[in-house]
C-alpha cells in the first residue's frame, strides 16, 4: 500500500505539474506577443520562477487529495498503475463534497488549464496570421 500511495502521488503530481507548467508557458508567450514592450516587466524571470514553483506546489497538493478524503490510492490489475478512484468516493459523499472532489481532481488541474492554453494559443496564432 505504501508503494502504491507513493507511485500514485508521483504519477498524479507529475501529470498535473506538466499541465500547469505548459499553462504558464502559454500565458507567458501570449503576453510576449500581445504586450511585447511590457512582457519583461509583467513576466520577468522572478515571476516565471514563482509561477512554475506554484505549479509544482499545486500539482502535488492536489495529488494528496485522496488522503484528505480518507481514500488512498489503489492498484487495479487492468490499469497497471495506482490511482485515486474518485467515482467510488463521489458515490458515497454529499453534494458539497462531490463538488469539491470534482473541482480538485478534474476542473482545476485539467479543464481550466486546457481552456487557458487553447485561448492563448489561438490568440497567438491569430496575431501571427494578421501580421503576415
Amino acid at each position: 500500500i505504501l508503494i502504491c500511495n507513493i507511485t500514485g502521488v508521483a504519477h498524479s503530481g507529475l501529470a498535473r505539474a506538466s499541465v500547469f507548467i505548459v499553462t504558464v508557458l502559454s500565458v507567458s508567450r501570449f503576453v510576449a506577443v500581445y504586450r511585447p514592450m511590457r512582457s519583461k516587466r509583467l513576466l520577468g524571470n522572478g515571476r516565471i520562477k514563482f509561477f512554475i514553483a506554484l505549479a509544482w506546489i499545486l500539482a502535488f497538493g492536489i495529488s494528496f487529495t485522496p488522503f484528505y478524503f480518507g481514500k488512498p490510492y489503489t492498484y487495479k490489475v487492468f490499469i497497471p498503475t495506482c490511482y485515486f478512484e474518485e467515482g467510488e468516493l463521489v458515490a458515497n459523499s454529499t453534494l458539497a463534497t462531490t463538488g469539491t472532489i470534482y473541482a480538485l481532481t478534474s476542473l482545476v488541474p485539467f479543464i481550466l488549464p486546457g481552456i487557458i492554453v487553447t485561448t492563448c494559443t489561438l490568440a497567438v496564432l491569430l496575431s501571427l496570421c494578421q501580421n503576415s
Side-chain angles (χ1 to χ4, degrees):
I1 292 179
L2 177 65
I3 297 296
C4 191
N5 286 324
I6 291 170
T7 58
V9 167
H11 181 262
S12 176
L14 292 172
R16 287 179 171 95
S18 65
V19 170
F20 290 159
I21 290 171
V22 166
T23 304
V24 169
L25 293 174
S26 293
V27 170
S28 82
R29 293 304 86 208
F30 172 80
V31 170
V33 168
Y34 273 88
R35 301 278 188 236
M37 303 303 255
R38 296 158 92 195
S39 68
K40 193 74 161 176
R41 186 173 47 99
L42 291 173
L43 292 173
N45 285 339
R47 286 197 179 149
I48 292 293
K49 288 177 185 176
F50 168 77
F51 285 121
I52 289 177
L54 183 65
W56 281 101
I57 291 167
L58 281 174
F60 278 93
I62 292 169
S63 296
F64 282 99
T65 302
F67 303 110
Y68 175 75
F69 289 109
K71 182 81 175 149
Y73 288 89
T74 55
Y75 181 78
K76 298 293 180 184
V77 177
F78 60 91
I79 302 174
T81 188
C82 297
Y83 71 100
F84 173 48
E85 196 166 353
E86 59 204 31
E88 181 181 318
L89 186 59
V90 167
N92 299 325
S93 61
T94 64
L95 184 60
T97 308
T98 302
T100 304
I101 295 167
Y102 174 73
L104 287 175
T105 59
S106 298
L107 184 67
V108 172
F110 296 112
I111 296 172
L112 289 178
I115 292 169
I116 292 168
V117 168
T118 302
T119 303
C120 289
T121 303
L122 290 175
V124 168
L125 288 173
L126 182 65
S127 174
L128 291 173
C129 288
Q130 288 175 349
N131 291 336
S132 58

